[in-house]
Amino acid sequence: MCGIVGIVATSPVNQALYDGLTVLQHRGQDAAGIITIDNNTFSLRKANGLVKDVFHTRHMKRLQGNIGIGHVRYPTAGSSSSAEAQPFYVNSPFGIALAHNGNLTNAEALKELLFSQARRHVNTTSDSEILLNILAHQLCKSGKLKLEAEDMFSAISNVNELVVGGYASIAMIIGHGIVAFRDPKGIRPLVYGKRETESGTEYMFASESVALKADGFEFVRDVAPGEAIYVTEDGQLFSQMCAVNTQHAPCIFEFVYFARPDSVIDNMSVYATRVNMGTKLGEKIAREWADKDIDVVIPIPETSCDVALEIATVLDKPYRQGFVKNRYIGRTFIMPGQEMRKKSVRRKLNAIDREFEGKNVLLVDDSIVRGTTSAQIVEMAREAGAKNVYFASAAPEVRFPNVYGIDMPSAAELIAHGREVDDINQSIGSDGLIYQSIEDLIAAVRQENPEVTEFETSVFDGQYITGDIDQEYLNRIDALRNDSAKSTREQAMSASLELHNQEESEGE
Ligand code: AMP
């Protein structure tokens, strides 16, 4: 998963881009980048690390200009080296830079097409570089030195015909402006907003509405599936549908885990959908576990707190914070190697023994992926003195890999892959395990906007809505995502970080 921002303003955008990326940091902590246009020249800063660590005063001073885009990365298909941090740019035609959130499922075919039809070389394993070159090739076709809005839209229409997958993208073109576009199925989120100033209207695009708010932009609306919105450098806005056969199927995992609760995606408040998930799951627990004498409901912080509080209300049981989270440790999920992950769960969470002693506790998490967190937490609850430990997941069983931009382990590493609830319950060591049903999850999210009738739910049901995913593709991503592949990439990343640090200190 990644976060993207883009701003066309009447004054320098560096600070606003930085602030926007900081608000989207939860979408990717692996690398960050900002590129701006000043005097028809790109200024770029990108590196591995958190936003606060990547940009120093000297970089911000260089990132001049009233127009720019930014990116935070959570690697999925590509590598985690700093050379593959976004935004990427090409020099022809014009200077074009691109930031992208998602994953192209036909990246290999596109790479071949770029070489055979456009003689364009792609230098990294990142599908964002592929998307950028596909866009550049299509923009080239107009042959014009100055593109009109219709040229931009016809290029994006061609891109949408060629590209398959989930993608929300923001491209910036020297001498023109910013064009933002969302895949024809609206899998990945993208919103835009505006801000009135004395010098004119300014526009901002972002993965989540919360970034607009943080930068003082008024939310206008979501970019529609298959739509492109072009804002010229002097602040004129044009929009057009650039795809046929659009379908609105936003990724449901954004609501389960990824997005911030204070964001609104496709007119659905993420917070409200999580409360609804709590109501549905609470009702299921009341129905199916009437015999279990639950004393207390305890969330596994933080995403599940909103769900757990609602479950406690439905069950009429106390809600207690039994675990304290150390905020200064990275997410356990992205650390390769099972041992490493186990250790970091313990470093990240600590139990307050008094809340567990002699009690039947219901632990609530947003989802169970590998099961590492849940198994450790169940053990911690027992060590803290719990009598019985029950476990509830706000999402259904995660059984299949994600191919549209969410980092999920290889299928074999998913605890629910090919397994049923009793078996998983035994594996994580709980005295009872209950999952939200897929129907209830969809209903919980839809309740906030009944106009959305479909969701991208492949991690739960294995249905890939782009229709192009076969076993061969899944085997290929399995090979990229398993622990040993990840640790090879991790080593490459350490080497590149070392080189980068060396270059940085030489440049001081
Ligand atoms: P585990 O079952 O140990 O793999 O971890 C599950 C926990 O990781 C969930 O409770 C979420 O809070 C979090 N999580 C779920 N999906 C992801 C993801 N794609 N990337 C990072 N963390 C995730």
Side-chain angles (χ1 to χ4, degrees):
M1 191 54 63
C2 298
I4 54 175
V5 288
I7 301 177
V8 180
T10 54
S11 59
V13 287
N14 46 6
Q15 185 68 49
L17 289 169
Y18 177 96
D19 292 342
L21 289 182
T22 308
V23 171
L24 297 180
Q25 187 77 80
H26 61 286
R27 299 184 70 84
Q29 300 102 51
D30 176 61
I34 290 179
I35 187 164
T36 57
I37 302 177
D38 188 30
N39 278 328
N40 283 337
T41 310
F42 282 139
S43 296
L44 171 67
R45 164 68 182 163
K46 58 178 181 175
N48 285 341
L50 296 174
V51 175
K52 72 178 174 53
D53 299 323
V54 166
F55 303 99
H56 301 172
T57 309
R58 63 182 187 280
H59 305 123
M60 296 301 276
K61 279 187 182 156
R62 261 203 293 116
L63 292 167
Q64 287 304 316
N66 298 353
I67 167 168
I69 62 178
H71 187 267
V72 284
R73 181 184 70 188
Y74 192 155
T76 45
S79 109
S80 48
S81 94
S82 61
E84 306 216 349
Q86 295 190 46
F88 284 100
Y89 74 87
V90 288
N91 298 321
S92 168
F94 325 101
I96 310 173
L98 180 127
H100 154 235
N101 168 214
N103 183 50
L104 311 184
T105 52
N106 64 339
E108 283 307 312
L110 292 170
K111 197 169 176 177
E112 278 165 30
L113 182 142
L114 277 171
F115 182 70
S116 60
Q117 293 191 9
R119 287 286 179 270
R120 279 179 178 267
H121 169 71
V122 176
N123 208 45
T124 65
T125 59
S126 165
D127 60 348
S128 311
E129 195 190 0
I130 295 177
L131 183 58
L132 167 64
N133 276 277
I134 292 280
L135 174 65
H137 181 50
Q138 297 307 324
L139 288 173
C140 222
K141 284 185 174 167
S142 83
K144 294 184 187 167
L145 285 179
K146 182 78 187 173
L147 302 176
E148 303 300 327
E150 67 207 44
D151 301 313
M152 215 61 89
F153 294 138
S154 113
I156 305 275
S157 301
N158 293 340
V159 169
N160 284 334
E161 287 214 349
L162 288 168
V163 168
V164 187
Y167 50 97
S169 311
I170 307 178
M172 179 168 74
I173 302 150
I174 287 186
H176 292 79
I178 279 183
V179 61
F181 53 104
R182 192 172 174 199
D183 65 77
K185 303 205 184 299
I187 299 174
R188 299 266 65 92
L190 187 61
V191 295
Y192 85 96
K194 65 178 181 179
R195 186 166 72 177
E196 300 299 342
T197 69
E198 281 180 2
S199 327
T201 310
E202 303 181 330
Y203 291 96
M204 175 170 181
F205 295 93
S207 297
E208 289 184 36
S209 61
V210 71
L212 304 180
K213 214 168 164 187
D215 271 339
F217 282 78
E218 177 198 338
F219 171 83
V220 176
R221 63 175 172 84
D222 295 79
V223 177
E227 184 188 27
I229 300 184
Y230 171 42
V231 180
T232 62
E233 48 187 3
D234 54 1
Q236 289 184 68
L237 184 140
F238 303 88
S239 69
Q240 191 170 300
M241 188 51 70
C242 293
V244 281
N245 300 328
T246 58
Q247 172 191 3
H248 195 184
C251 169
I252 207 153
F253 215 74
E254 291 277 353
F255 299 92
V256 168
Y257 173 73
F258 257 103
R260 269 179 52 148
D262 42 349
S263 279
V264 177
I265 300 177
D266 292 317
N267 291 324
M268 295 172 274
S269 147
V270 175
Y271 175 76
T273 65
R274 289 187 186 155
V275 173
N276 300 342
M277 286 174 212
T279 313
K280 300 266 180 216
L281 189 53
E283 288 167 357
K284 183 172 177 186
I285 294 169
R287 260 192 333 266
E288 297 187 7
W289 277 2
D291 57 327
K292 294 194 178 16
D293 189 16
I294 295 166
D295 295 314
V296 60
V297 179
I298 295 180
I300 296 165
E302 285 173 0
T303 316
S304 70
C305 294
D306 308 329
V307 178
L309 180 57
E310 188 60 18
I311 292 178
T313 309
V314 172
L315 297 179
D316 198 17
K317 299 287 176 192
Y319 165 89
R320 305 302 280 252
Q321 297 284 355
F323 293 104
V324 177
K325 185 173 174 177
N326 178 351
R327 286 163 207 281
Y328 305 102
I329 184 164
R331 283 181 173 173
T332 52
F333 196 92
I334 53 176
M335 300 194 183
Q338 193 64 359
E339 272 315 302
M340 185 78 159
R341 266 191 296 268
K342 274 191 189 166
K343 274 195 198 140
S344 61
V345 173
R346 296 257 173 179
R347 279 196 219 115
K348 188 159 132 183
L349 290 176
N350 189 37
I352 302 175
D353 293 358
R354 205 170 157 276
E355 299 307 320
F356 294 86
E357 278 160 8
K359 293 182 185 159
N360 294 328
V361 298
L362 173 66
L363 305 181
V364 181
D365 207 352
D366 54 89
S367 57
I368 303 174
V369 181
R370 283 192 176 87
T372 323
T373 315
S374 1
Q376 289 286 305
I377 300 260
V378 170
E379 210 177 290
M380 284 165 74
R382 289 202 198 285
E383 284 168 13
K387 197 156 69 174
N388 282 299
V389 183
Y390 306 116
F391 205 100
S393 164
E397 296 90 320
V398 175
R399 292 208 159 100
F400 304 93
N402 185 285
V403 300
Y404 303 121
I406 290 191
D407 186 32
M408 281 289 173
S410 70
E413 289 167 355
L414 296 170
I415 196 167
H417 182 73
R419 294 170 86 187
E420 291 310 319
V421 181
D422 286 346
D423 197 8
I424 306 167
N425 180 41
Q426 273 202 350
S427 281
I428 66 169
S430 44
D431 298 302
L433 169 64
I434 195 161
Y435 280 99
Q436 182 100 265
S437 71
I438 181 85
E439 295 76 20
D440 278 353
L441 173 63
I442 292 173
V445 181
R446 267 201 80 200
Q447 199 173 322
E448 296 308 308
N449 181 5
E451 282 177 20
V452 180
T453 54
E454 283 174 277
F455 290 89
E456 198 296 293
T457 52
S458 56
V459 294
F460 306 120
D461 59 16
Q463 302 294 315
Y464 295 98
I465 56 171
T466 47
D468 59 329
I469 303 302
D470 55 17
Q471 198 50 48
E472 199 192 320
Y473 182 84
L474 293 175
N475 293 345
R476 234 179 315 137
I477 58 163
D478 256 27
L480 282 172
R481 290 181 186 181
N482 64 39
D483 271 345
S484 86
K486 278 200 171 150
S487 78
T488 310
R489 281 205 295 274
E490 204 64 17
Q491 281 164 9
M493 179 167 134
S494 313
S496 106
L497 253 183
E498 247 169 58
L499 182 68
H500 170 81
N501 289 342
Q502 201 181 325
E503 283 168 357
E504 280 274 288
S505 55
E506 282 166 11
E508 296 276 328

